[in-house]
Amino acid sequence: EPEVTQTPSHQVTQMGQEVILRCVPISNHLYFYWYRQILGQKVEFLVSFYNNEISEKSEIFDDQFSVERPDGSNFTLKIRSTKLEDSAMYFCASSQASGGANEQFFGPGTRLTVL
Amino acid sequence: DQQVKQNSPSLSVQEGRISILNCDYTNSMFDYFLWYKKYPAEGPTFLISISSIKDKNEDGRFTVFLNKSAKHLSLHIVPSQPGDSAVYFCAGKGFGNEKLTFGTGTRLTIIP
């Protein structure tokens, strides 16, 4: 069964450093998403991406964040200058279409720890 | 922002009995509701959804009920199995946008 994959599974970084989280969505999906879950809190939407541009973003997704689809398979989330409060589990998701229930398929997540 | 609320952080149910997980919402603009299951160290897995114009949707052991007037939905799992032990998230999707708004989750433990 096709699945979303994410690398690395765990990333440790120093405050102020740049990190890039990588995702390979399901191959025939057209919509891509990043969510995050701070420990003990709910899963929060960050950004959605379609047709090589951001289609929606949350208040969390400020100028420190960016997303890119550098080739036909990868989807990346970059955090330019990490802060302590960026420590969280980051989930990538993808879906075939945006209409209807829009079932999104999630990857296993990358745990980001900012020291 | 508490648009989707799951007021029970945990629930324990005997194997073979019915598990009922509850979810309340405040946003009247949700057009679909989805339930996801999450095991430790894995991402959320889609279980079942319901349109806001329906009051029930069933898929095997899983049934979701929607009460729009009460802004309440519930997920019924029957019979409950040990493999159902996980955290269950309710999520709403607004009409015309793609983002999912999640609740805080309910940890379900099935007791053999």
Side-chain angles (χ1 to χ4, degrees):
Chain A
E1 186 173 325
E3 58 183 19
V4 176
T5 59
Q6 290 185 242
T7 54
S9 57
H10 192 188
Q11 174 90 48
V12 181
T13 190
Q14 294 289 328
M15 189 170 57
Q17 295 295 304
E18 174 183 288
V19 294
I20 297 176
L21 310 183
R22 302 178 194 279
C23 168
V24 178
I26 294 172
S27 62
N28 64 342
H29 285 186
L30 301 176
Y31 294 81
F32 314 113
Y33 314 86
W34 284 101
Y35 291 79
R36 78 172 185 191
Q37 185 179 29
I38 294 171
L39 189 64
Q41 298 185 24
K42 59 176 68 178
V43 176
E44 300 174 289
F45 170 81
L46 292 178
V47 66
S48 58
F49 190 86
Y50 168 71
N51 199 25
N52 280 320
E53 60 182 32
I54 290 172
S55 50
E56 191 174 358
K57 61 182 181 179
S58 72
E59 292 175 354
I60 302 167
F61 194 89
D62 61 22
D63 291 344
Q64 292 299 311
F65 291 87
S66 62
V67 289
E68 192 179 27
R69 188 153 163 84
D71 53 42
S73 60
N74 289 284
F75 180 52
T76 62
L77 174 69
K78 182 193 290 186
I79 310 175
R80 287 191 185 82
S81 178
T82 50
K83 303 191 268 287
L84 294 176
E85 53 264 37
D86 293 327
S87 294
M89 198 74 173
Y90 287 80
F91 294 106
C92 173
S94 67
S95 65
Q96 281 188 314
S98 68
N102 186 25
E103 296 92 345
Q104 296 174 23
F105 294 81
F106 285 75
T110 293
R111 180 172 299 285
L112 176 65
T113 302
V114 182
L115 303 176
Chain B
D1 182 354
Q2 293 274 340
Q3 294 188 55
V4 180
K5 289 184 285 189
Q6 294 176 257
N7 292 317
S8 298
S10 63
L11 175 69
S12 295
V13 174
Q14 290 282 343
E15 183 180 356
R17 306 294 289 266
I18 183 170
S19 295
I20 300 176
L21 297 113
N22 294 303
C23 178
D24 298 295
Y25 64 96
T26 57
N27 187 344
S28 300
M29 299 305 290
F30 288 140
D31 65 340
Y32 278 88
F33 300 91
L34 300 87
W35 283 94
Y36 281 81
K37 176 168 81 171
K38 186 180 181 303
Y39 294 120
E42 294 185 14
T45 302
F46 170 74
L47 272 178
I48 191 169
S49 64
I50 187 167
S51 164
S52 61
I53 63 172
K54 305 278 189 186
D55 55 18
K56 178 182 174 182
N57 188 27
E58 190 172 354
D59 183 1
R61 296 187 299 114
F62 302 93
T63 303
V64 56
F65 295 93
L66 175 62
N67 182 334
K68 269 188 91 169
S69 60
K71 292 193 169 76
H72 176 84
L73 61 155
S74 60
L75 174 68
H76 293 212
I77 306 172
V78 57
S80 300
Q81 299 173 353
D84 296 330
S85 293
V87 178
Y88 288 77
F89 293 97
C90 167
K93 187 190 86 70
F95 179 77
N97 63 47
E98 303 108 13
K99 76 174 187 181
L100 298 178
T101 302
F102 284 87
T104 49
T106 296
R107 181 178 302 279
L108 176 65
T109 302
I110 305 302
I111 305 164

